[in-house]
Amino acid sequence: MGENGRKLLNFHISFVIYEIIAGLSIFVLIGAILTPIVSIAYFVLAVLGMIKYGQYKDYDYAFVINFIK
């Protein structure tokens, strides 16, 4: 797996975890605000990554936990 593949996989795994945490925090009522913010951030960062990838540039995704090195 290439470097971009690892970065992208770490990005997706991280945001799945963030969405689960935001979804579970709905019981504390902060999740109603947190879930849309996390979803919008996921979408915006994914689009930025696609644009950079289309320009043949490396993109370091923000808010990523490095599970796969």
Side-chain angles (χ1 to χ4, degrees):
M1 180 182 306
E3 182 66 26
N4 283 332
R6 279 192 287 278
K7 288 179 183 180
L8 188 59
L9 190 57
N10 284 328
F11 171 72
H12 288 298
I13 292 170
S14 296
F15 269 88
V16 165
I17 291 170
Y18 300 151
E19 285 286 346
I20 290 170
I21 292 170
L24 291 175
S25 67
I26 286 180
F27 298 113
V28 187
L29 298 177
I30 189 123
I33 297 168
L34 202 59
T35 303
I37 291 171
V38 171
S39 297
I40 291 168
Y42 175 75
F43 178 75
V44 169
L45 291 172
V47 169
L48 287 173
M50 286 187 280
I51 291 170
K52 291 289 184 179
Y53 188 73
Q55 296 172 348
Y56 301 103
K57 296 180 182 174
D58 286 337
Y59 181 68
D60 291 326
Y61 293 95
F63 311 112
V64 173
I65 302 168
N66 289 320
F67 294 105
I68 301 170
K69 304 237 179 209

